[in-house]
PDB file of all heavy atoms in Angstrom:
ATOM      1  N   ALA A 130      -2.225 -33.736  24.316  1.00  0.00           N
ATOM      2  CA  ALA A 130      -1.281 -34.287  23.349  1.00  0.00           C
ATOM      3  C   ALA A 130      -1.009 -33.337  22.191  1.00  0.00           C
ATOM      4  O   ALA A 130       0.045 -33.395  21.558  1.00  0.00           O
ATOM      5  CB  ALA A 130      -1.804 -35.616  22.811  1.00  0.00           C
ATOM      6  N   PHE A 131      -1.941 -32.443  21.898  1.00  0.00           N
ATOM      7  CA  PHE A 131      -1.772 -31.547  20.757  1.00  0.00           C
ATOM      8  C   PHE A 131      -1.145 -30.205  21.132  1.00  0.00           C
ATOM      9  O   PHE A 131      -0.805 -29.424  20.254  1.00  0.00           O
ATOM     10  CB  PHE A 131      -3.121 -31.323  20.059  1.00  0.00           C
ATOM     11  CG  PHE A 131      -3.643 -32.571  19.421  1.00  0.00           C
ATOM     12  CD1 PHE A 131      -4.648 -33.309  20.034  1.00  0.00           C
ATOM     13  CD2 PHE A 131      -3.109 -33.029  18.238  1.00  0.00           C
ATOM     14  CE1 PHE A 131      -5.125 -34.469  19.464  1.00  0.00           C
ATOM     15  CE2 PHE A 131      -3.581 -34.192  17.650  1.00  0.00           C
ATOM     16  CZ  PHE A 131      -4.579 -34.915  18.262  1.00  0.00           C
ATOM     17  N   ASN A 132      -0.985 -29.917  22.388  1.00  0.00           N
ATOM     18  CA  ASN A 132      -0.402 -28.637  22.810  1.00  0.00           C
ATOM     19  C   ASN A 132       1.007 -28.406  22.274  1.00  0.00           C
ATOM     20  O   ASN A 132       1.322 -27.300  21.844  1.00  0.00           O
ATOM     21  CB  ASN A 132      -0.434 -28.509  24.330  1.00  0.00           C
ATOM     22  CG  ASN A 132      -1.813 -28.184  24.839  1.00  0.00           C
ATOM     23  OD1 ASN A 132      -2.681 -27.753  24.078  1.00  0.00           O
ATOM     24  ND2 ASN A 132      -2.037 -28.400  26.114  1.00  0.00           N
ATOM     25  N   PRO A 133       1.909 -29.403  22.294  1.00  0.00           N
ATOM     26  CA  PRO A 133       3.257 -29.149  21.742  1.00  0.00           C
ATOM     27  C   PRO A 133       3.248 -28.758  20.265  1.00  0.00           C
ATOM     28  O   PRO A 133       4.074 -27.956  19.837  1.00  0.00           O
ATOM     29  CB  PRO A 133       3.990 -30.481  21.957  1.00  0.00           C
ATOM     30  CG  PRO A 133       3.275 -31.113  23.091  1.00  0.00           C
ATOM     31  CD  PRO A 133       1.839 -30.710  22.934  1.00  0.00           C
ATOM     32  N   LEU A 134       2.337 -29.311  19.488  1.00  0.00           N
ATOM     33  CA  LEU A 134       2.269 -28.936  18.075  1.00  0.00           C
ATOM     34  C   LEU A 134       1.899 -27.476  17.898  1.00  0.00           C
ATOM     35  O   LEU A 134       2.422 -26.795  17.011  1.00  0.00           O
ATOM     36  CB  LEU A 134       1.262 -29.818  17.337  1.00  0.00           C
ATOM     37  CG  LEU A 134       1.681 -31.262  17.113  1.00  0.00           C
ATOM     38  CD1 LEU A 134       0.551 -32.043  16.472  1.00  0.00           C
ATOM     39  CD2 LEU A 134       2.924 -31.325  16.258  1.00  0.00           C
ATOM     40  N   LEU A 135       1.000 -26.980  18.735  1.00  0.00           N
ATOM     41  CA  LEU A 135       0.625 -25.568  18.650  1.00  0.00           C
ATOM     42  C   LEU A 135       1.828 -24.680  18.911  1.00  0.00           C
ATOM     43  O   LEU A 135       2.028 -23.667  18.235  1.00  0.00           O
ATOM     44  CB  LEU A 135      -0.491 -25.265  19.656  1.00  0.00           C
ATOM     45  CG  LEU A 135      -1.810 -25.986  19.416  1.00  0.00           C
ATOM     46  CD1 LEU A 135      -2.782 -25.691  20.553  1.00  0.00           C
ATOM     47  CD2 LEU A 135      -2.404 -25.555  18.104  1.00  0.00           C
ATOM     48  N   VAL A 136       2.657 -25.052  19.869  1.00  0.00           N
ATOM     49  CA  VAL A 136       3.851 -24.268  20.186  1.00  0.00           C
ATOM     50  C   VAL A 136       4.824 -24.284  19.014  1.00  0.00           C
ATOM     51  O   VAL A 136       5.383 -23.243  18.637  1.00  0.00           O
ATOM     52  CB  VAL A 136       4.516 -24.801  21.475  1.00  0.00           C
ATOM     53  CG1 VAL A 136       5.855 -24.131  21.716  1.00  0.00           C
ATOM     54  CG2 VAL A 136       3.597 -24.604  22.669  1.00  0.00           C
ATOM     55  N   VAL A 137       5.037 -25.449  18.423  1.00  0.00           N
ATOM     56  CA  VAL A 137       5.975 -25.553  17.303  1.00  0.00           C
ATOM     57  C   VAL A 137       5.534 -24.689  16.131  1.00  0.00           C
ATOM     58  O   VAL A 137       6.324 -23.910  15.578  1.00  0.00           O
ATOM     59  CB  VAL A 137       6.127 -27.035  16.860  1.00  0.00           C
ATOM     60  CG1 VAL A 137       6.873 -27.130  15.536  1.00  0.00           C
ATOM     61  CG2 VAL A 137       6.834 -27.837  17.925  1.00  0.00           C
ATOM     62  N   PHE A 138       4.257 -24.786  15.754  1.00  0.00           N
ATOM     63  CA  PHE A 138       3.779 -23.993  14.632  1.00  0.00           C
ATOM     64  C   PHE A 138       3.776 -22.502  14.960  1.00  0.00           C
ATOM     65  O   PHE A 138       4.053 -21.679  14.088  1.00  0.00           O
ATOM     66  CB  PHE A 138       2.395 -24.462  14.180  1.00  0.00           C
ATOM     67  CG  PHE A 138       2.450 -25.718  13.362  1.00  0.00           C
ATOM     68  CD1 PHE A 138       2.040 -26.920  13.890  1.00  0.00           C
ATOM     69  CD2 PHE A 138       2.932 -25.690  12.067  1.00  0.00           C
ATOM     70  CE1 PHE A 138       2.104 -28.078  13.138  1.00  0.00           C
ATOM     71  CE2 PHE A 138       3.004 -26.839  11.299  1.00  0.00           C
ATOM     72  CZ  PHE A 138       2.587 -28.043  11.846  1.00  0.00           C
ATOM     73  N   SER A 139       3.495 -22.148  16.186  1.00  0.00           N
ATOM     74  CA  SER A 139       3.549 -20.742  16.580  1.00  0.00           C
ATOM     75  C   SER A 139       4.964 -20.204  16.486  1.00  0.00           C
ATOM     76  O   SER A 139       5.189 -19.086  16.022  1.00  0.00           O
ATOM     77  CB  SER A 139       3.023 -20.556  18.000  1.00  0.00           C
ATOM     78  OG  SER A 139       1.666 -20.881  18.064  1.00  0.00           O
ATOM     79  N   ILE A 140       5.929 -20.988  16.923  1.00  0.00           N
ATOM     80  CA  ILE A 140       7.327 -20.547  16.875  1.00  0.00           C
ATOM     81  C   ILE A 140       7.789 -20.403  15.426  1.00  0.00           C
ATOM     82  O   ILE A 140       8.438 -19.410  15.076  1.00  0.00           O
ATOM     83  CB  ILE A 140       8.224 -21.522  17.665  1.00  0.00           C
ATOM     84  CG1 ILE A 140       7.946 -21.379  19.159  1.00  0.00           C
ATOM     85  CG2 ILE A 140       9.698 -21.282  17.369  1.00  0.00           C
ATOM     86  CD1 ILE A 140       8.623 -22.417  20.026  1.00  0.00           C
ATOM     87  N   VAL A 141       7.464 -21.371  14.587  1.00  0.00           N
ATOM     88  CA  VAL A 141       7.860 -21.296  13.170  1.00  0.00           C
ATOM     89  C   VAL A 141       7.252 -20.052  12.517  1.00  0.00           C
ATOM     90  O   VAL A 141       7.944 -19.294  11.826  1.00  0.00           O
ATOM     91  CB  VAL A 141       7.443 -22.578  12.410  1.00  0.00           C
ATOM     92  CG1 VAL A 141       7.579 -22.400  10.907  1.00  0.00           C
ATOM     93  CG2 VAL A 141       8.279 -23.751  12.879  1.00  0.00           C
ATOM     94  N   GLY A 142       5.977 -19.819  12.744  1.00  0.00           N
ATOM     95  CA  GLY A 142       5.328 -18.640  12.171  1.00  0.00           C
ATOM     96  C   GLY A 142       5.898 -17.348  12.723  1.00  0.00           C
ATOM     97  O   GLY A 142       6.156 -16.400  11.976  1.00  0.00           O
ATOM     98  N   ALA A 143       6.132 -17.292  14.033  1.00  0.00           N
ATOM     99  CA  ALA A 143       6.656 -16.068  14.653  1.00  0.00           C
ATOM    100  C   ALA A 143       8.070 -15.770  14.176  1.00  0.00           C
ATOM    101  O   ALA A 143       8.398 -14.615  13.888  1.00  0.00           O
ATOM    102  CB  ALA A 143       6.621 -16.204  16.173  1.00  0.00           C
ATOM    103  N   VAL A 144       8.913 -16.789  14.086  1.00  0.00           N
ATOM    104  CA  VAL A 144      10.288 -16.578  13.607  1.00  0.00           C
ATOM    105  C   VAL A 144      10.269 -16.079  12.168  1.00  0.00           C
ATOM    106  O   VAL A 144      11.019 -15.169  11.798  1.00  0.00           O
ATOM    107  CB  VAL A 144      11.123 -17.873  13.735  1.00  0.00           C
ATOM    108  CG1 VAL A 144      12.423 -17.796  12.955  1.00  0.00           C
ATOM    109  CG2 VAL A 144      11.405 -18.161  15.206  1.00  0.00           C
ATOM    110  N   SER A 145       9.403 -16.629  11.354  1.00  0.00           N
ATOM    111  CA  SER A 145       9.297 -16.187   9.970  1.00  0.00           C
ATOM    112  C   SER A 145       8.835 -14.730   9.880  1.00  0.00           C
ATOM    113  O   SER A 145       9.382 -13.946   9.100  1.00  0.00           O
ATOM    114  CB  SER A 145       8.339 -17.105   9.210  1.00  0.00           C
ATOM    115  OG  SER A 145       8.228 -16.710   7.883  1.00  0.00           O
ATOM    116  N   VAL A 146       7.854 -14.370  10.693  1.00  0.00           N
ATOM    117  CA  VAL A 146       7.376 -12.981  10.705  1.00  0.00           C
ATOM    118  C   VAL A 146       8.492 -12.040  11.160  1.00  0.00           C
ATOM    119  O   VAL A 146       8.728 -10.983  10.552  1.00  0.00           O
ATOM    120  CB  VAL A 146       6.132 -12.844  11.608  1.00  0.00           C
ATOM    121  CG1 VAL A 146       5.800 -11.384  11.864  1.00  0.00           C
ATOM    122  CG2 VAL A 146       4.941 -13.540  10.972  1.00  0.00           C
TER     123      VAL A 146
END
Side-chain angles (χ1 to χ4, degrees):
F131 294 102
N132 284 343
L134 288 176
L135 296 175
V136 172
V137 169
F138 282 107
S139 295
I140 289 172
V141 168
V144 166
S145 180
V146 168

